[in-house]
Amino acid sequence: MSEIIIAAQALTEDGWRNNVAITIEGGRVEAIEPSDAPPTVDILLPAPGNLHSHAFQRAMAGLTEQQTGNDNFWSWRALMYRFLEALTPDDVEVIASGLMMEMLEAGYAALGEFHYLHNAPGGTPYDNPAELAARIAAAAGTTGMGLTLLPVLYMQGGLDGRALEGGQRRFASTEDSFAALMEGAAQAIAGLPDDTRLGVAPHSLRAVPADAIARVAARPGPKHIHVAEQTAEVEEVLAHTGARPMAHLASLVDLSPEWTLIHCTHGTAAELGEAARAGAVAGLCPITESNLGDGIIEMAAVQEAGGRFGIGSDSNVRISLAEELRTLDYSQRLARRARNPLAGPGQSSGRTLYQGACLGAAQALARGAGTIAPGNLADLVALDGAAPSLAGLTGDRVLDAHIFAGDDGAVRDVWSAGRHVVRGGRHVARDRIAPAFMATLRRLRTVA
Ligand code: ZN
């Protein structure tokens, strides 16, 4: 299946080019050539992946915004556990389909799903240990989302080895049951397009014993872990191991370009620099980290070490790529009391943020993507040059305005590995996906 896009402006691996024809063949960019044909799109960009999500949490968005006394991450988690008791496999698939539709409409071409809901309520395994992983895979098939599935190993309630309780039992695996889950997950994605990837995710230093982290890290493919998100977590790891979380992780596994460290909010400058030099991606979730009150990462340490970063939507409280990037930049401005802190001298913040997120997510999700270049997956997004925020702009100013002055409403078309699934700002299957999504949200919100 081939398609030719004629772009008035395109951000290619060689920078901005005007009036180019981009040929897509077999899901990849085949050629980029000058063209004098009338443009079919105004502004063509690489579409980044969203490197971190827990799909089912989309249904909880906005439900945890009341002050409950000592309100923090842990009170949020209490609501999540109540909510979990009500979720069926059908719910998981419907929510994931609705969420992926929203992500594609926001300009993401791929998703790293950090999938940790494995068991039935109460913790009983399903007959198929990969039942819920298969539901995530089915949602990717329904929506055309490029999927990197990251089944999560979650074994204990804390570093003292205490058992999982309540809603956490739906996450539980042993190393043996996890091996069966991985086999089932591989089968579940076998029917999906060949840009689909399978990785692995030890949940956190709290939830997986040290020796099991080392063993699961020996599996092939991308490896993701939550690390140093909360100060309470830093204290718990320090108390039990004598090391801070990122240093402890680095003592257990070889950090490499296959690793993505989700959050790493409370990494020290030295720890962040070491992980960046090892090639690991900093997996930032700016809206969720703001919503949970986590803290602000020291991005200067990542950048000075030449590190990569990418964006994830984590709790999925908002699905907005532009807002994620803006929130990241604004947190750094507030922390440093400076404007444009991530851009180098003479560079654009928008370009720095957008291009960085494309490259970091491509690495984190093991997708040959991140730039518009021959041979890369055709993960592409077209913006409407007539959107009020973008009218009259060219080059990097388009990215500055898209992120700081506009929103995802300028997204017109999205291709995931050449699958043209958003047209005219709407997902091609929205009329089929949205009604079930809305019905499920309404029903679940009565229990929360
Ligand atoms: Zn997460």
Side-chain angles (χ1 to χ4, degrees):
M1 191 174 61
S2 72
E3 182 173 357
I4 296 177
I5 304 167
I6 314 289
Q9 299 183 65
L11 180 59
T12 73
E13 63 173 343
D14 301 320
W16 288 101
R17 291 180 61 181
N18 295 334
N19 303 312
V20 288
I22 310 246
T23 306
I24 301 174
E25 183 66 50
R28 294 180 182 274
V29 173
E30 186 178 72
I32 307 170
E33 296 160 309
S35 173
D36 52 15
T40 56
V41 305
D42 297 332
I43 300 150
L44 192 71
L45 307 171
N50 178 330
L51 58 67
H52 187 70
S53 150
H54 313 291
F56 72 89
Q57 294 181 13
R58 180 61 176 150
M60 296 165 49
L63 301 185
T64 57
E65 309 304 328
Q66 287 136 15
Q67 181 60 258
T68 56
N70 179 23
D71 212 49
N72 56 27
F73 171 81
W74 309 101
S75 65
W76 175 89
R77 225 172 58 155
L79 179 125
M80 180 179 78
Y81 291 156
R82 274 206 311 283
F83 200 80
L84 278 172
E85 292 304 305
L87 276 181
T88 68
D90 283 348
D91 292 339
V92 170
E93 182 173 339
V94 166
I95 295 165
S97 298
L99 173 68
M100 291 181 195
M101 172 187 76
E102 294 180 306
M103 288 179 178
L104 287 158
E105 288 179 347
Y108 293 109
L111 172 62
E113 177 64 12
F114 196 104
H115 172 66
Y116 67 117
L117 187 57
H118 301 314
N119 303 319
T124 317
Y126 290 102
D127 291 343
N128 171 5
E131 170 72 37
L132 297 181
R135 300 309 189 111
I136 300 292
T142 299
T143 57
M145 175 62 91
L147 178 65
T148 295
L149 181 61
L150 301 160
V152 173
L153 177 60
Y154 198 122
M155 297 172 63
Q156 62 189 21
L159 275 151
D160 55 5
R162 61 186 176 270
L164 296 173
E165 51 185 41
Q168 289 177 320
R169 293 197 190 100
R170 293 199 73 176
F171 312 151
S173 297
T174 62
E175 286 186 85
D176 285 346
S177 74
F178 187 71
L181 170 62
M182 287 297 292
E183 267 179 46
Q187 284 168 16
I189 64 168
L192 292 176
D194 63 8
D195 58 297
T196 311
R197 302 280 180 270
L198 183 64
V200 73
H203 178 274
S204 60
L205 296 168
R206 282 181 287 114
V208 186
D211 54 344
I213 290 177
R215 281 192 291 272
V216 79
R219 287 180 173 272
K223 298 162 224 316
H224 291 214
I225 187 169
H226 291 125
V227 66
E229 176 180 8
Q230 297 279 326
T231 48
E233 175 198 341
V234 175
E235 286 156 19
E236 187 183 350
V237 173
L238 197 52
H240 277 84
T241 71
R244 296 170 55 84
M246 288 184 65
H248 182 52
L249 178 64
S251 76
L252 300 178
V253 301
D254 276 335
L255 292 180
S256 71
E258 285 195 322
W259 277 93
T260 296
L261 308 184
I262 302 299
H263 304 302
C264 51
T265 311
H266 297 287
T268 64
E271 291 164 351
L272 292 167
E274 188 181 337
R277 281 187 293 275
V281 177
L284 311 176
C285 306
I287 294 175
T288 295
E289 289 157 11
S290 300
N291 184 268
L292 296 177
D294 285 350
I296 300 173
I297 187 175
E298 196 172 332
M299 275 296 284
V302 176
Q303 286 189 304
E304 281 162 16
R308 284 197 171 174
F309 70 91
I311 294 296
S313 55
D314 195 5
S315 70
N316 296 316
V317 63
R318 277 276 289 147
I319 304 305
S320 171
L321 171 57
E323 187 173 319
E324 295 283 4
L325 295 169
R326 187 189 319 138
T327 302
L328 169 60
D329 205 76
Y330 281 175
S331 71
Q332 299 296 312
R333 294 184 192 209
L334 290 165
R336 296 195 224 173
R337 299 183 209 169
R339 301 198 71 238
N340 303 309
L342 300 182
Q347 292 179 343
S348 134
S349 285
R351 174 82 174 266
T352 303
L353 290 160
Y354 194 89
Q355 197 162 267
C358 286
L359 293 170
Q363 180 181 321
L365 303 183
R367 280 178 88 73
T371 58
I372 303 179
N376 272 359
L377 290 173
D379 285 355
L380 305 170
V381 56
L383 303 183
D384 179 6
S389 56
L390 303 185
L393 300 180
T394 59
D396 290 349
R397 282 186 154 183
V398 168
L399 293 170
D400 290 336
H402 178 52
I403 292 166
F404 293 100
D407 57 41
D408 303 321
V411 172
R412 303 307 296 163
D413 291 79
V414 176
W415 295 258
S416 171
R419 298 178 291 274
H420 190 172
V421 289
V422 175
R423 297 172 189 245
R426 282 173 64 86
H427 191 278
V428 293
R430 173 169 267 283
D431 290 346
R432 186 157 49 88
I433 295 167
F437 185 39
M438 296 306 149
T440 297
L441 293 180
R442 281 198 193 93
R443 199 193 84 244
L444 287 171
R445 285 170 183 177
T446 62
V447 307

